[in-house]
Amino acid sequence: MVALIPYIIAGDPDLATTAEALKVLDSCGSDIIELGLPYSDPLADGPVIQAAATCSLARGTNFDAVISMLREVLPQLSCPVSLFSYYNPILKRGIRKFMTIIKDAGVQGLVVPNVPLEETEILRMESSKNNIELVLLTTPTTSTDRMKSIVSASEGFVYLGELRWSDWYSHQCQCPSSDSATRHQIEATSKPVAVGFGISKPEHVKQVAEWGADGVIVGSAMVKLLGEAKSPEEGLKELETFTKSLKAALI
């Protein structure tokens, strides 16, 4: 079974809605949930998630508030939650302290998109001490040698960013004409590979599963849905419908 891994950003439209969204995603059969910590300079994200992060920060969302919410919500969920955080907020609190805090809140994984492999030694050591799976990113254009190094260092699964689809919202499913690079990366490792960035329709999810991926990450489409809904209640209903459609595409 291919894992469905939805991504939402904390605090957009507000933390109360984020808490309910986590419950909805869990109830719809998500296998892992990625929760983005809003950051002021999210270079690895496209305009949809950048805008959501800006709105979240403008409403006063901060790390302590997110952790407080997670402490209440995570015991109610059946699937694990991973945090998606840029390196700067981690360094600000200190790597050891950050890991201890998220572990105590019940977080089980961590994705840090902007830290080079060569600088992950301390992150890997502290995450291992706290039983946090540190997930590292690669792309279809990553060299074979570097891919092997990233795979060796990554825990849990490898995050394969399909950058050619990043923040893409066509109404037609026009998958990349050449998927050979993506297939090669999937086949190059014995660890589970989850493909993400720009996957926004059930057709995309099905296509990626057919390539042999072990997981499919859907982010911007969910963030956009919650952020543009007429009300938080409507957004949660739309999130439920959308998530069920993605899950059905993987069955």
Side-chain angles (χ1 to χ4, degrees), residues 4 28 202 205 242-251:
L4 175 62
C28 291
V205 166
F242 181 52
T243 306
K244 286 181 177 178
S245 72
L246 298 176
K247 188 68 176 181
L250 293 173
I251 296 175

Side-chain angles (χ1 to χ4, degrees), residues 26-48:
D26 181 52
S27 68
C28 291
S30 299
D31 297 285
I32 302 171
I33 301 172
E34 280 188 6
L35 180 66
L37 291 177
Y39 179 58
S40 59
D41 191 23
L43 296 177
D45 294 308
V48 171

Side-chain angles (χ1 to χ4, degrees), residues 80-136:
V81 169
S82 291
L83 283 187
F84 187 105
S85 174
Y86 285 85
Y87 200 24
N88 307 59
I90 298 173
L91 290 175
K92 180 179 179 180
R93 285 164 184 82
I95 295 173
R96 182 175 300 175
K97 182 178 180 181
F98 183 91
M99 292 295 183
T100 301
I101 290 172
I102 67 173
K103 174 193 176 182
D104 290 345
V107 172
Q108 297 184 41
L110 177 65
V111 182
V112 187
N114 65 331
V115 60
L117 173 65
E118 292 75 15
E119 298 179 23
T120 61
E121 183 177 355
I122 297 177
L123 268 177
R124 284 184 279 146
M125 180 177 66
E126 292 300 328
S127 63
S128 178
K129 286 181 181 178
N130 289 280
N131 294 317
I132 301 290
E133 290 190 349
L134 181 65
V135 177
L136 301 181

Side-chain angles (χ1 to χ4, degrees), residues 17 25 41 56 59 76 99 113 124 146 174 230 238:
T17 303
L25 294 172
D41 191 23
S56 177
R59 293 186 180 96
Q76 304 175 46
M99 292 295 183
R124 284 184 279 146
R146 188 166 183 79
Q174 298 173 344
K230 294 179 181 179
E238 293 179 3

Side-chain angles (χ1 to χ4, degrees), residues 7-71:
Y7 168 101
I8 58 174
I9 195 156
D12 186 51
D14 53 57
L15 278 177
T17 303
T18 300
E20 294 305 313
L22 290 172
K23 297 174 188 177
V24 167
L25 294 172
D26 181 52
S27 68
C28 291
S30 299
D31 297 285
I32 302 171
I33 301 172
E34 280 188 6
L35 180 66
L37 291 177
Y39 179 58
S40 59
D41 191 23
L43 296 177
D45 294 308
V48 171
I49 293 178
Q50 287 183 10
T54 298
C55 289
S56 177
L57 291 171
R59 293 186 180 96
T61 304
N62 57 51
F63 179 71
D64 291 339
V66 173
I67 292 299
S68 178
M69 179 272 294
L70 289 175
R71 286 197 182 104

